Amino acid sequence: LESPQYPLPATPVSSLDLPGKVSQQVAAPALALMITAGAWILYVVACIPLIVMLFFTELETLFPSGQVARNVAFSLRSTWECAALAANLYVFMGGLNMLQMKNYDRARAAAWVACIPCINPCCLLVPFGVWALCVLGQPQVKSEFEANHRRWQSLTGRDGR
């Protein structure tokens, strides 16, 4: 028995619905980055009053020797919290760009920042950052970002980056 000959489609079957498949591939790591970074952002914002209260109360018992040690401890803690907050805000915005397939370079940079183990407690962002980098490294994902960028330019006449 011979099988009937069917004409092959002009495009491979796996790439017929490329934008939909690419957006599905990108959505999960983008949401994971946004949820993890967003949770930490909310935590830090909620802890700001506690940090200020710690400055005025508990640090005196921890550092009875004087004002200098208390100021140094508060300064180090505040600086670290601000740096980690900025990094998590950047990761959140990069995840949003990734979800919207808006800016490839920013999404990739945010995924790299997410791979820094000390910006989130217990290194929660690291596996999601690696996952995002793996997805963003696929050629069809990059080409879809570029196609969205070209569409944006044609609609608005602006660069959009």
Side-chain angles (χ1 to χ4, degrees):
L1 292 171
E2 288 185 34
S3 63
Q5 296 295 323
Y6 295 104
L8 293 174
T11 56
V13 176
S14 63
S15 65
L16 286 176
D17 187 27
L18 187 61
K21 285 185 180 183
V22 169
S23 63
Q24 287 175 354
Q25 282 181 308
V26 168
L31 286 171
L33 287 175
M34 290 173 61
I35 289 169
T36 309
W40 201 86
I41 292 166
L42 290 175
Y43 166 76
V44 169
V45 169
C47 284
I48 289 174
L50 295 174
I51 294 170
V52 172
M53 189 175 70
L54 178 71
F55 175 68
F56 290 112
T57 59
E58 293 181 21
L59 283 179
E60 284 185 15
T61 59
L62 293 174
F63 302 104
S65 60
Q67 185 74 18
V68 175
R70 188 172 82 167
N71 287 343
V72 168
F74 180 74
S75 298
L76 288 174
R77 174 69 187 227
S78 301
T79 303
W80 176 251
E81 295 292 336
C82 288
L85 179 64
N88 277 280
L89 283 169
Y90 188 75
V91 170
F92 183 86
M93 293 306 296
L96 184 62
N97 282 327
M98 188 175 171
L99 185 64
Q100 296 173 342
M101 300 197 68
K102 196 172 182 181
N103 189 325
Y104 180 80
D105 294 331
R106 192 170 298 146
R108 191 162 172 86
W112 276 109
V113 170
C115 290
I116 300 171
C118 298
I119 66 165
N120 202 285
C122 304
C123 304
L124 290 176
L125 276 174
V126 175
F128 300 128
V130 172
W131 184 17
L133 284 172
C134 290
V135 170
L136 289 170
Q138 297 174 0
Q140 68 268 24
V141 172
K142 186 173 183 176
S143 65
E144 187 61 28
F145 267 90
E146 290 169 357
N148 282 347
H149 177 66
R150 286 191 298 276
R151 273 185 240 129
W152 173 262
Q153 279 182 320
S154 67
L155 290 173
T156 62
R158 296 184 299 163
D159 188 18
R161 290 187 191 245

